[in-house]
Amino acid sequence: MAITHARLIALPVVDQDRARDFYVGVLGFTVLADRTLGHVRWLQVAPPGAGTGFVLTVLEQGFTQCGTRGITLESDDLDGDCARLAAAGVEVEGPDEHPWGREAGFSDPDGNAFVLAEPAAGGA
């Protein structure tokens, strides 16, 4: 196998404009692509400098609205980011201490749930 990294993760959303506003305006992501190809809108966002991006997809693109779970985003300022999310009206659970490190949870407006975590001890 010669897999080097995950390039894209598809996130199902109901309204791409609302999702873009959340990911860009609240999470501080950058829009990498926003174009229409035929009847399909390709809307790709990512944290600044990240190697993995997110494609905000809708039902018409063949995705079901089920709510993605378990994607972990890393934060160099977990407490500050939790406070910023809460100030933006996002419900945040945590941060909590775990044997593997400190984490918090939140969801986007479409129910996609994320873990926000401090960098892993030892670089894991």
Side-chain angles (χ1 to χ4, degrees):
M1 300 296 296
I3 298 169
T4 60
H5 67 281
R7 181 175 22 172
L8 292 173
I9 297 170
L11 291 176
V13 301
V14 174
D15 181 318
Q16 288 175 303
D17 289 322
R18 180 183 71 177
R20 183 198 59 228
D21 292 347
F22 177 80
Y23 285 91
V24 173
V26 176
L27 297 184
F29 286 17
T30 301
V31 174
L32 301 179
D34 188 354
R35 58 184 169 269
T36 302
L37 309 167
H39 68 282
V40 175
R41 181 178 178 192
W42 183 265
L43 178 55
Q44 182 180 343
V45 298
T52 301
F54 298 90
V55 178
L56 306 176
T57 62
V58 292
L59 299 176
E60 292 81 12
Q61 291 170 287
F63 289 86
T64 59
Q65 196 61 37
C66 61
T68 300
R69 301 273 183 265
I71 296 173
T72 300
L73 303 173
E74 190 169 289
S75 170
D76 289 332
D77 181 9
L78 182 61
D79 294 315
D81 283 344
C82 287
R84 285 184 278 282
L85 285 168
V90 177
E91 185 176 324
V92 179
E93 296 178 18
D96 297 313
E97 298 284 341
H98 299 285
W100 54 88
R102 294 180 71 232
E103 297 179 342
F106 71 93
S107 294
D108 73 5
D110 293 290
N112 295 302
F114 294 88
V115 174
L116 189 60
E118 289 182 334

